[in-house]
Amino acid sequence: MMKASLLSTTLLTSLLFLPALDAQESKPQTKHNQAVIDFYPQVMNANPPMPADLSQRFISCPISTRQKLTVQPDYKTSAQVDYQHSGWEKRISADWTFFSPDEEQGKVLVIDFANVADGLAYRYLANANTEDQLYEPWSSSKIMAFTAAVAKAREQGVGAMSKAGETHLADLITSINSYAPFGQADGNSNAIATYLLNITGRDRATALFHDDWLKLANAKVRFRGAYEVELFKPATPYWYSLNSDNKASMPELEKNSDDPGYQSYRCEECGLTGNKPMTTLAQAEWLKRLASHERDKLTRQPGLEAEDIQVLFYGTGHTDTDHQVGGMMQGISTMLQHALADAISGKSGSDPKTVLDQATNGQWRTWQKIGWGPSGTRGTGENVVLAHVCLPDYQGGREFTVAAQASYPGDEDIMVNYAGMKIQAILNTSMQQLLSNTP
């Protein structure tokens, strides 16, 4: 991989000289400098660095209690917000213009955590009122297919510490995040995620965004599509618990359209955002509630247990002997880690692992899932990052969920690189602004 200092220099140069748009055709120029071409293999598609200390597989980030925030209006607990009833978006502590990037630069939303005397509390921060704008989440939505499927299996006494046929779920969720073979999983992320959504049912998965859990005000958010025509095929249509004799019947579908809740990408009511439109608020809220599962009983995903989130975050129970951890810890891309390291060090081009290890005694965590692709429907290259960040010891411990999305005109594959560079820029700015604003 390119050294950090060189990466920073070439990235900055490329961001300053992104291709101009032709006034008549509104298409990017076709010449692309080497830094843009290299950004995909060296940053977007790169394996993430690992923390020095992985001895503790915590879900709950060890952040200090801030007594002074007991009546601090910048953060609100779940009891204060009342997430169980619709309209909570108007009751949260939120600043939808906190981050400085404008709408053209992309979308970013952070749910910032704080421990207060009354429990875990949150504040919501975004840029340019983009928190409720619909977009195609691409593969960043695959973790939602996973937890929805596990919650269904839990009804039959089987959780994520199990095997789908003969394949450990921990291996499957790691392949979903890493796009590589892992243990018993073959690395076909799209086929695995589509299988999970098929066995869950799209009506059920979509309902989790609304009456069955998140209770979002935006009724247009839904989960009706697929990622692949090819499907993962387990040896049997059952999940077998690794901790008991329980098994769950999880019948698969022959094809995606056999699900009554399935919609084609350009269905009549889908519009340009397709059949699984989401928002930064919708995606971040889902992941934030998983990360707070042990500490916030009021917002837990129905049916899930802490063990299930351990599998999602760390790949607990995986069979790959070459890796200490799996799950979202293996989510590809170093965009977020670069942004965090530069914000913490105050220097562009910092080495992410070195800076993060030093700032947190090696205990930092970035549980992340990316998504990207060129859209012929919208004529853009697009990029999405969804992650939960834990920085123990730094500023007394910082923890937050982040969702970011950006697009760039043109549906060639290279435009995805440009969208990724916009994501890098918006993450650089937002992480600096977030971490310089110490609660």
Side-chain angles (χ1 to χ4, degrees), residues 81-89 91 214-215:
V81 173
D82 186 17
Y83 289 101
Q84 288 69 46
H85 293 91
S86 299
W88 58 263
E89 294 96 330
R91 299 189 293 269
L214 297 189
K215 294 181 171 28

Side-chain angles (χ1 to χ4, degrees), residues 94-103 105-112 123-131 280 284 343 398 400-404 425-437:
D95 183 348
W96 302 130
T97 59
F98 179 88
F99 298 117
S100 62
D102 60 30
E103 184 178 341
Q105 292 174 279
K107 308 171 183 66
V108 64
L109 182 143
V110 166
I111 306 176
D112 193 26
R123 62 173 179 163
Y124 292 67
L125 311 170
N127 74 305
N129 296 292
T130 59
E131 75 284 348
T280 53
R398 294 300 296 269
F400 51 91
T401 308
V402 58
I426 202 170
L427 286 174
N428 288 350
T429 300
S430 58
M431 292 302 99
Q432 192 279 327
Q433 292 177 329
L434 176 71
L435 296 180
S436 64
N437 184 260

Side-chain angles (χ1 to χ4, degrees), residues 273-323:
T273 47
N275 51 16
K276 53 181 185 295
M278 297 180 190
T279 65
T280 53
L281 179 59
Q283 290 202 278
E285 185 65 25
W286 189 301
L287 183 54
K288 161 249 187 179
R289 296 192 188 192
L290 298 180
S292 63
H293 179 95
E294 293 177 328
R295 295 165 288 174
D296 199 336
K297 297 180 180 180
L298 296 177
T299 60
R300 290 174 175 172
Q301 182 174 344
L304 283 194
E305 297 185 8
E307 176 186 273
D308 304 322
I309 299 166
Q310 275 274 348
V311 176
L312 172 64
F313 280 13
Y314 290 100
T316 303
H318 71 76
T319 68
D320 192 298
T321 57
D322 295 329
H323 295 86

Side-chain angles (χ1 to χ4, degrees), residues 1 43 58 68 87 112 134 181 184 198 223 226 276 284 292 327 332 360 380-381 405 418 420 432-434:
M1 181 177 294
V43 182
F58 52 77
K68 68 178 182 178
D112 193 26
L134 295 172
Q184 301 165 336
N198 281 353
F223 206 0
K276 53 181 185 295
S292 63
I332 58 169
T360 66
T380 52
Q405 188 270 351
Y418 284 108
Q432 192 279 327
Q433 292 177 329
L434 176 71

Side-chain angles (χ1 to χ4, degrees), residues 32 37 48 90 117 134 155 199 229 277 312 321 376 393:
H32 314 286
I37 295 170
K90 296 180 180 179
L134 295 172
E155 295 176 354
I199 61 175
V229 174
L312 172 64
T321 57
D393 295 323

Side-chain angles (χ1 to χ4, degrees), residues 385-425:
V385 171
L386 176 64
H388 190 74
V389 176
C390 173
L391 303 173
D393 295 323
Y394 181 70
Q395 295 180 348
R398 294 300 296 269
E399 179 182 10
F400 51 91
T401 308
V402 58
Q405 188 270 351
S407 61
Y408 195 83
D411 58 7
E412 303 169 61
D413 286 344
I414 191 67
M415 301 312 171
V416 175
N417 298 28
Y418 284 108
M421 296 178 84
K422 289 181 71 174
I423 284 281
Q424 183 72 77

